[in-house]
Amino acid sequence: MKKAVSIFLTILMLASSSGIAYAQHFCSGTEMMAQITLGEKHLSCGMEENAPDSGCGAETAAPEVHDCCKNHITKIHTDDNFAKASFDLKLNKTFIAAFISVFVLNEVEIASTKKIFFADYNPPPLEQDFNILYETFLI
C-alpha cells in the first residue's frame, strides 16, 4: 500500500512538473471541446476552415475580424523549491510486541484465573463522611 501511494504521488509530481495543460475551445461562448495536453495545443472545431458562409473566418470583400472561436489554456504551475517531507515515528517495543501478539498472532494469554482476596486488609479510617459532606444519599 505504501509503495502504491508513493508511486502515485511520484507520477503526480512528474505530471505536474512536465507542463500539463488543460485546453478548451469555445465557439460563440459555448465550450465545444476540451483536452488535457502536454504544453500548449490549439484546438480547432473546424468552423473557421470548413464553413466560409458561417461568418467565422469567412473571406469577404471587406475583411472583418470575427471572434467567435477562442482557445483557453490553463497550465499547471509548480514551484521549483519543493522539499522532501519527513517525520519521526517512535514506537515503544512493548507496544509493538503486544500489538503483534494480540492482532497478528491472535494469542491472548490471561495471566491468572485464580482470584486473590485481601481478607486481612483493613481500609484506612475515614477522616470525614463524604456522603454527608456532599449530601449524596442512596435512596
Side-chain angles (χ1 to χ4, degrees):
M1 182 68 183
K2 193 174 185 181
K3 286 183 181 181
V5 171
S6 297
I7 290 171
F8 173 72
L9 291 175
T10 304
I11 291 171
L12 184 66
M13 185 62 122
L14 177 67
S16 66
S17 64
S18 65
I20 286 187
Y22 182 66
Q24 295 173 311
H25 181 73
F26 292 97
C27 283
S28 302
T30 59
E31 181 180 350
M32 298 302 288
M33 58 189 336
Q35 217 174 25
I36 296 176
T37 62
L38 288 173
E40 288 188 20
K41 181 178 179 184
H42 293 283
L43 302 175
S44 174
C45 62
M47 184 182 290
E48 61 270 0
E49 298 169 1
N50 296 334
D53 58 342
S54 67
C56 183
E59 295 292 330
T60 58
E64 299 176 0
V65 178
H66 298 283
D67 292 331
C68 64
C69 292
K70 293 182 181 179
N71 285 326
H72 178 66
I73 298 172
T74 306
K75 291 184 181 179
I76 298 174
H77 297 286
T78 58
D79 289 340
D80 292 334
N81 301 327
F82 52 87
K84 179 183 174 186
S86 63
F87 59 93
D88 294 329
L89 182 64
K90 296 178 182 177
L91 293 176
N92 191 356
K93 292 178 185 177
T94 308
F95 171 75
I96 293 173
F99 183 83
I100 290 173
S101 69
V102 172
F103 291 105
V104 177
L105 302 175
N106 293 328
E107 294 180 7
V108 179
E109 180 180 329
I110 298 173
S112 165
T113 58
K114 182 173 61 169
K115 294 183 180 179
I116 300 172
F117 293 102
F118 298 102
D120 298 330
Y121 176 74
N122 292 325
L126 293 175
E127 294 178 11
Q128 294 180 354
D129 191 5
F130 290 118
N131 290 339
I132 295 175
L133 180 67
Y134 296 117
E135 296 180 3
T136 57
F137 303 105
L138 183 64
I139 296 177

